[in-house]
Amino acid sequence: MKSKKLYKDRVNIITLGCSKNLVDSEVLSGQLKANEIDVVHENAKLDHNIVVVNTCGFIDKAKEESVNTILDQVELKRKGKLDKVYVTGCLSERYRNDLENEIPEVDAWFGTLELPLILKQFDADYKSELLGERMLSTPQHYAYLKISEGCNRTCAFCAIPLMRGAHISRPIEDLVAEAESLARRGIKEIMLIAQELTYYGLDLYKQRMLATLLNRLADVQGIEWIRLHYAYPNKFPLEVLDVMRERSNVCNYLDMPLQHASNNMLKAMKRQSTRQEMEELIAAIREKNPGICLRTTLIAGFPGETRADVEELKDFLTRMRFDRVGIFTYSHEEGTSGYQLADDVPAEEKQARAQEIMELQQEISYEKNLEKIGKVFKVIIDKKEAGRYLGRTEFDSVEVDNEVVIQSSRKLNIGDFYNVKITKAYDYDLEGEVIW
């Protein structure tokens, strides 16, 4: 006869990787909570008995972190501090069979789209009526809004389609309802995320609908900032910029990963754009919206990258003068078309090239920050740390971009907006004072 437990289950969800994973964890948390199951996120107290690890499988470092986290939880289980360890997310989707053999102590493995199966482990039902009722793990004033799942692109370096499948847009009505729910909970800033924002709507509505979605979301009362992440340059819908210009709560901010600028590399990466086309697009974007902040992401050390390719990328950055730049070193991923190429740039050289690119961008960033001294910006306060307030302008997203450091003898409310005059500039951050 099965003995009854004398204690109630408490589930801890550990999230690794990107903001899209974070949203998945928040949805899982909301479903568990609705089923009256006690759930926490990133719990440091170790007063839980079940762990769900939501893994990342994007590049080597992320995979290593995911495996190490799983092993740490398995060790806690071996010591009797946990009853169950479940694993979900991208790494589990991609390497489930291998991982089941290598780490048999894990109680169950799940892919990226198997939320109902996870809930079954807890004798819980998937409640479809809980649209948007996530258990937020972000601060109380901002949240991510995932507008689609998967990707139809075939970029040579990217394993995301292997783990997330084809592009599936969420209906506009569902997204508006979720944004309204977030606003009722006090969220003031929503960040639109997807593997590719600009493809949004093609599957559902047979046309690109990002501009329409933005207009609908901009009507939601209480949402003061809407931010766009992960736009693709090919066939970019320029009407999005009209909405950005016309609607005051759509941030003048666009995150558009370009990956490289050398035509040789762009072709090898299967990016469907040339350098000239990208430069023309950037010019068109800035003509439509002169005040826009452009962020991009690049890859250093893709197979076959030469010194000439690096110099061309540096020339592109010098000419385009992006506001924000992030860079990854190339990771040789099984299952991608790039994996068939020789990974011929040594790891140390990849790192050196990435550093070289970032040193150039550091100068550009500092020059752009200097231009902000004496100007006043609307700033949202994210937190107080070491006696200083840390906030962001509309040109800065969470964690990846600049911060505004504010000294104030008067109390500032976390999550509120203030007008801040910039008094000092650094390579990536600013200092300012509140204009009362």
Side-chain angles (χ1 to χ4, degrees), residues 380-399:
I380 192 167
I381 304 299
D382 281 331
K383 56 190 171 183
K384 188 176 184 181
E385 205 171 80
R388 310 170 307 166
Y389 291 97
L390 300 178
R392 291 174 292 113
T393 70
E394 70 174 296
F395 309 119
D396 303 293
S397 195
V398 176
E399 294 180 353

Side-chain angles (χ1 to χ4, degrees), residues 225 227 324 369 372-385 387-408 412 414 416-435:
W225 276 358
R227 189 179 300 282
R324 315 278 182 258
N369 277 351
K372 294 181 172 68
I373 293 176
K375 295 179 180 176
V376 176
F377 295 93
K378 181 180 178 181
V379 169
I380 192 167
I381 304 299
D382 281 331
K383 56 190 171 183
K384 188 176 184 181
E385 205 171 80
R388 310 170 307 166
Y389 291 97
L390 300 178
R392 291 174 292 113
T393 70
E394 70 174 296
F395 309 119
D396 303 293
S397 195
V398 176
E399 294 180 353
V400 295
D401 290 330
N402 295 2
E403 289 182 316
V404 181
V405 180
I406 303 163
Q407 302 279 2
S408 177
L412 306 183
I414 306 302
D416 279 0
F417 292 91
Y418 296 88
N419 289 323
V420 175
K421 184 177 182 180
I422 304 305
T423 57
K424 193 176 287 188
Y426 301 94
D427 292 340
Y428 296 114
D429 294 328
L430 300 165
E431 280 188 26
E433 55 190 28
V434 175
I435 307 298

Side-chain angles (χ1 to χ4, degrees), residues 11-41:
V11 182
N12 179 36
I13 299 178
I14 299 172
T15 305
L16 304 166
C18 68
S19 52
K20 295 184 285 295
N21 256 18
L22 184 68
V23 170
D24 292 344
S25 290
E26 292 175 344
V27 171
L28 171 59
S29 300
Q31 289 283 337
L32 290 172
K33 187 178 179 183
N35 280 276
E36 299 184 350
I37 294 167
D38 195 7
V39 59
V40 288
H41 194 257

Side-chain angles (χ1 to χ4, degrees), residues 150-327:
C151 184
N152 286 4
R153 301 290 178 184
T154 56
C155 300
F157 53 83
C158 186
I160 296 294
L162 302 173
M163 299 179 285
R164 291 282 177 176
H167 181 101
I168 304 172
S169 300
R170 295 179 59 198
I172 288 176
E173 275 65 34
D174 288 0
L175 292 167
V176 171
E178 184 167 349
E180 288 172 343
S181 170
L182 291 170
R184 286 193 296 271
R185 296 165 70 178
I187 295 297
K188 298 175 182 176
E189 176 183 12
I190 56 174
M191 287 164 277
L192 270 55
I193 55 171
Q195 197 55 40
E196 183 191 343
L197 284 180
T198 41
Y199 198 89
Y200 177 78
L202 273 173
D203 54 325
L204 266 185
Y205 307 108
K206 309 308 174 192
Q207 58 181 314
R208 294 176 188 266
M209 294 286 282
L210 182 58
T212 302
L213 173 64
L214 270 181
N215 257 322
R216 291 286 304 278
L217 292 174
D219 288 336
V220 175
Q221 294 297 309
I223 300 298
E224 294 197 42
W225 276 358
I226 301 169
R227 189 179 300 282
L228 300 180
H229 277 288
Y230 319 128
Y232 192 87
N234 186 255
K235 297 181 180 178
F236 180 85
L238 288 170
E239 62 270 18
V240 166
L241 300 165
D242 296 327
V243 181
M244 188 179 287
R245 190 178 61 248
E246 293 160 7
R247 305 302 297 263
S248 62
N249 57 350
V250 179
C251 293
N252 291 313
Y253 179 98
L254 184 64
D255 185 346
M256 182 185 287
L258 298 178
Q259 313 303 356
H260 217 285
S262 156
N263 284 333
N264 292 333
M265 287 292 96
L266 292 169
K267 184 177 180 181
M269 290 178 174
K270 299 184 178 179
R271 288 293 290 171
Q272 301 178 313
S273 293
T274 64
R275 173 175 174 173
Q276 182 177 348
E277 288 169 340
M278 293 193 309
E279 290 193 359
E280 289 171 355
L281 173 61
I282 291 163
I285 290 172
R286 285 175 167 158
E287 184 179 355
K288 268 187 172 280
N289 196 334
I292 195 168
C293 171
L294 285 177
R295 175 181 177 80
T296 195
T297 311
L298 308 168
I299 294 174
F302 186 83
E305 185 185 59
T306 64
R307 189 68 233 170
D309 294 322
V310 176
E311 291 302 322
E312 188 167 349
L313 179 53
K314 288 169 66 178
D315 178 68
F316 176 73
L317 289 179
T318 301
R319 288 165 56 87
M320 294 299 100
R321 293 180 65 80
F322 291 97
D323 299 87
R324 315 278 182 258
V325 172
I327 191 160

